[in-house]
Amino acid sequence: TMRNKFLIALAALVGLGLCAVSDAQTSAKPDIAVFFKQAKIQSARLSPSGKYLAVTLLGKTNRYHLGIAETANPSKVNMIISDDAMGVYGATWLNDERLYFRTGEPTDLSDVRNGEFYAINRDGTYRNKLMSNHDEGNNIGKGVPLWARNYSIYGTLDDGTDDLLVTYDTVSEKERALTSERLYRLNTRTLALTELLTDLQPKDVTGWLLDKEHQPRFAFSSEDDVRIVRYRAPGTKEWVEISRFKFLDPNAFSPAFIDGSGQTYVYKNDADGFQSLYRFDIATRKVAAEPVLEVKGFDVTVTPVLERKTDRILGFHYESDAENTLWLDESRKAIQAKIDAQMPGTINVISCRGSGATQACVIHSESDQDPGRYWLYKPDSDELASIGAVRPDIDPEKMARVDFHHYKARDGMEIPVYVTTPSGKATGPRPAVVMVHGGPFVRGGHWNWNRDNQFLASRGYVVIEPDFRGSTGYGSKHFQAGWKKWGLEMQDDITDAANWAVAKGWVDKNRIAIAGASYGGYATLMGLIKTPDVFRCGINWVGVSDLDLLFTVSWSDASKASVEYGDKLLVGDPDKDAAQFKATSPLAQHERLNKPLLMAYGTSDRRVPIVHGTKFRDAVMKHNNDVEWVAYDKEGHGWRLEKNNIDWWTRVENFLEKNMRP
């Protein structure tokens, strides 16, 4: 068995690994702040050799600080950034001596340091700014930070140098949408830029795929509603087109990554329409007949785990009903089995660096009830040490369980759904909130600790999350069944989820609320309009209120191409489908909404501009006296500030208490 030891110094720094239970946990309802305040640990990452550990920890003034420990002596942590002028996010190793990170100001959305990039040595020396939110002259190669408006970080090289990969981005002025990008190496000490490809590049490339030597092999671009992939063979300068598919063509394949042997892997739908991972023969331009990885009932998107320097594939992280890892490497498989035996009931994601005596692994364990914990494991000595809990104020035993189900919609289609059930025994059917995900053409439900759902469950509500037709992750048939179905079959799936939960005996049919953000806010408004007999009240934040506005609002961040080719295909054409738009736009149907409604919008939202909210508010309040409204200053498409999250969810709690009484 493993020998356990605690990281005493680390625990003392951030109050981690301690068994004391707060007063909030012992009361019937945990305090709201427990769910919405910032996590104590943001990340824990190993250096390439496995000798050092970088941890970002929450300081006393709610800013993340950066500490470095030797994995041979993990209890001694050197805090290299602990000043309150700078919050650290996403600290990533460039090599064993140097890291880069992004800055953030969690209490001020207008702070100019938000989103700037810096590099720093492991001992805290030679900290310099890589990317600024101000144009500082842009004297390329003269030690002046790049302007973040023009450049973005592409990724690390892990080649022992101090260099980063960055892209020079060309964006459309109006929407700030990416139209092309060029790749450069950036030296994080001198700020010298070197272009990765000096010869002719394909036109308007918006994505690249690089090989083991960091050479661009695939270039992705678009022309109107067509996606084009080009390939450049090693030792050549010519880019050859290898595929050209219409936007969202179910027969398309897309290169995913290249391993150390030069083998290309692509995503393609299998015979049943589920995205799977295949090998691709670049010489014959053929996708292999049999997939490398497929999962019945789910689309596969992998994060490959590659061996350092060789890029040999060690395994794949992927998601089915929950997160999984498929290990191909026997030693990693053995480590996973050992950790899983020690920590049953949690998903344990293992990240190892180094080899032999210096090999170390960071383990992130999480479940539906546990927000997550970090551990340090040394395979050579078989030692497991606690780095700490992400949210130590949360008592996992008092959290709700999350289960994955399917239900039949009224037309017989199988719909996936996640159900969060409050802890404690039910004396009968409970009140419920049907939580509708945004997107809508994304996957909504996951088996993990979800702060919004857990908060609602702590107040006694069952939370039902349907992945209605149109959601991705469950095959092309499920996805395509939602095209142009806003307010129609997509809406019916949400209603059918509520009725299914009632039929199961879990939910009181007279006490069901509907809630959601973005598309979920749209579906909330439509649910109250279309099926007022099912939903007692609704909670909409940053929701779309008018389908025509999706196409006409000039200050949205949606690109011209995504509106013209994406939205017209997925949502509908405002001219050809005008009658359908009128029938399924909450603004046009506002007179039918007579149920209690809580609404919130961000004044700086560019995805769903606040006009969606104000127009609907002004219309519905003329005939409905039970509408509550709040606008959050400087917030965008959702709330970033802790104080706004706590304010919002306090309003939600009060609104539900008032409107969901038996």
Side-chain angles (χ1 to χ4, degrees), residues 56-318:
T56 38
L57 310 168
L58 195 66
K60 288 189 176 117
T61 57
N62 257 7
R63 287 175 181 82
Y64 286 106
H65 297 161
L66 179 58
I68 308 291
E70 291 184 27
T71 52
N73 183 20
S75 61
K76 189 181 175 193
V77 182
N78 177 29
M79 300 305 295
I80 63 169
I81 298 179
S82 58
D83 59 81
D84 289 328
M86 183 179 287
V88 175
Y89 290 82
T92 304
W93 294 91
L94 295 166
N95 52 54
D96 260 36
E97 298 303 315
R98 197 153 171 80
L99 310 92
Y100 82 94
F101 61 90
R102 177 177 61 82
T103 58
E105 171 45 80
T107 60
D108 183 2
L109 296 172
S110 60
D111 191 288
V112 294
R113 290 162 299 194
N114 272 318
E116 296 196 323
F117 285 89
Y118 288 75
I120 192 169
N121 284 357
R122 171 169 54 81
D123 62 3
T125 60
Y126 215 88
R127 179 170 92 190
N128 60 338
K129 191 189 288 188
L130 309 176
M131 217 167 270
S132 172
N133 287 331
H134 302 285
D135 184 359
E136 299 190 17
N138 253 354
N139 297 310
I140 302 299
K142 301 218 172 64
V144 176
L146 304 176
W147 195 18
R149 185 180 172 89
N150 294 343
Y151 289 88
S152 52
I153 304 282
Y154 183 86
T156 56
L157 290 148
D158 201 16
D159 62 354
T161 69
D162 295 325
D163 293 1
L164 260 176
L165 282 176
V166 300
T167 55
Y168 176 79
D169 305 327
T170 305
V171 294
S172 56
E173 264 314 306
K174 197 177 88 176
E175 309 99 351
R176 304 295 302 156
L178 181 69
T179 56
S180 72
E181 60 181 28
R182 293 181 81 89
L183 282 164
Y184 292 83
R185 284 180 80 119
L186 172 69
N187 184 297
T188 63
R189 290 181 187 271
T190 65
L191 301 190
L193 270 183
T194 316
E195 190 156 14
L196 217 60
L197 280 174
T198 51
D199 46 310
L200 198 63
Q201 298 185 27
K203 186 170 169 277
D204 297 337
V205 175
T206 53
W208 301 93
L209 200 59
L210 278 55
D211 65 12
K212 182 166 73 79
E213 311 302 326
H214 312 300
Q215 287 304 303
R217 290 282 154 249
F218 291 92
F220 304 88
S221 56
S222 303
E223 286 176 14
D224 296 333
D225 60 343
V226 173
R227 297 282 185 265
I228 302 156
V229 179
R230 294 181 177 89
Y231 174 75
R232 192 182 79 155
T236 68
K237 291 188 175 181
E238 189 185 357
W239 288 92
V240 181
E241 187 177 303
I242 62 160
S243 75
R244 177 181 285 258
F245 288 102
K246 284 268 194 186
F247 180 59
L248 295 175
D249 184 335
N251 299 311
F253 66 85
S254 178
F257 65 95
I258 305 165
D259 72 12
S261 71
Q263 172 66 59
T264 298
Y265 293 79
V266 299
Y267 292 123
K268 185 180 183 300
N269 286 346
D270 64 16
D272 296 318
F274 292 94
Q275 177 176 289
S276 302
L277 186 70
Y278 293 83
R279 287 187 181 88
F280 180 72
D281 188 326
I282 198 72
T284 62
R285 308 284 194 268
K286 291 271 193 335
V287 177
E290 293 300 315
V292 175
L293 181 62
E294 64 178 345
V295 180
K296 191 171 172 55
F298 297 90
D299 291 326
V300 166
T301 302
V302 304
T303 303
V305 183
L306 303 174
E307 186 176 55
R308 187 163 180 253
K309 293 185 176 171
T310 69
D311 275 7
R312 176 174 68 93
I313 298 173
L314 302 176
F316 303 107
H317 299 306
Y318 67 96

Side-chain angles (χ1 to χ4, degrees), residues 220-481:
F220 304 88
S221 56
S222 303
E223 286 176 14
D224 296 333
D225 60 343
V226 173
R227 297 282 185 265
I228 302 156
V229 179
R230 294 181 177 89
Y231 174 75
R232 192 182 79 155
T236 68
K237 291 188 175 181
E238 189 185 357
W239 288 92
V240 181
E241 187 177 303
I242 62 160
S243 75
R244 177 181 285 258
F245 288 102
K246 284 268 194 186
F247 180 59
L248 295 175
D249 184 335
N251 299 311
F253 66 85
S254 178
F257 65 95
I258 305 165
D259 72 12
S261 71
Q263 172 66 59
T264 298
Y265 293 79
V266 299
Y267 292 123
K268 185 180 183 300
N269 286 346
D270 64 16
D272 296 318
F274 292 94
Q275 177 176 289
S276 302
L277 186 70
Y278 293 83
R279 287 187 181 88
F280 180 72
D281 188 326
I282 198 72
T284 62
R285 308 284 194 268
K286 291 271 193 335
V287 177
E290 293 300 315
V292 175
L293 181 62
E294 64 178 345
V295 180
K296 191 171 172 55
F298 297 90
D299 291 326
V300 166
T301 302
V302 304
T303 303
V305 183
L306 303 174
E307 186 176 55
R308 187 163 180 253
K309 293 185 176 171
T310 69
D311 275 7
R312 176 174 68 93
I313 298 173
L314 302 176
F316 303 107
H317 299 306
Y318 67 96
E319 186 178 21
S320 54
D321 58 331
E323 290 288 337
N324 295 275
T325 303
L326 171 68
W327 289 115
L328 307 178
D329 179 73
E330 290 303 324
S331 67
R332 294 290 173 92
K333 202 182 284 183
I335 293 170
Q336 183 80 53
K338 192 173 270 195
I339 296 297
D340 287 349
Q342 179 93 344
M343 303 180 201
T346 54
I347 292 164
N348 306 307
V349 179
I350 296 168
S351 172
C352 301
R353 305 299 297 266
S355 59
T358 68
Q359 188 183 35
C361 305
V362 164
I363 296 144
H364 179 256
S365 64
E366 184 187 26
S367 74
D368 54 344
Q369 293 179 292
D370 191 334
R373 289 156 199 276
Y374 285 101
W375 305 82
L376 181 67
Y377 177 59
K378 302 293 294 290
D380 196 52
S381 57
D382 198 31
E383 286 180 335
L384 183 71
S386 168
I387 297 171
V390 173
R391 295 179 180 275
D393 293 341
I394 291 287
D395 179 358
E397 290 185 10
K398 289 190 168 66
M399 291 294 107
R401 298 307 316 236
V402 180
D403 294 297
F404 181 68
H405 303 271
H406 285 88
Y407 64 93
K408 269 195 164 60
R410 62 192 68 182
D411 63 356
M413 191 171 202
E414 290 275 333
I415 309 293
V417 60
Y418 285 83
V419 179
T420 303
T421 308
S423 60
K425 281 198 168 169
T427 53
R430 288 172 153 124
V433 177
V434 177
M435 186 67 79
V436 188
H437 70 72
F441 304 106
V442 296
R443 176 170 171 166
H446 307 275
W447 193 81
N448 57 13
W449 188 87
N450 178 301
R451 65 181 193 175
D452 300 0
N453 297 347
Q454 288 288 349
F455 171 67
L456 290 170
S458 77
R459 271 54 184 165
Y461 301 100
V462 176
V463 182
I464 302 156
E465 290 180 281
D467 266 321
F468 45 83
R469 70 194 69 198
S471 303
T472 57
Y474 305 98
S476 60
K477 288 175 191 163
H478 190 81
F479 172 43
Q480 288 185 351

Side-chain angles (χ1 to χ4, degrees), residues 171-177 553-558 560 606:
V171 294
S172 56
E173 264 314 306
K174 197 177 88 176
E175 309 99 351
R176 304 295 302 156
V553 171
S554 60
W555 58 92
S556 168
D557 68 353
K560 199 171 166 187
R606 295 184 69 226

Side-chain angles (χ1 to χ4, degrees), residues 521-522 525 540-545 599-605 608-614 616 629-633 635-636 639 648:
Y522 162 86
L525 299 177
N540 148 42
W541 65 111
V542 300
V544 171
S545 71
M599 299 173 70
Y601 286 79
T603 61
S604 300
D605 193 345
V608 178
I610 194 171
V611 64
H612 280 270
T614 53
F616 192 83
W629 164 269
V630 59
Y632 291 110
D633 189 37
E635 290 281 19
W639 327 136
W648 168 243

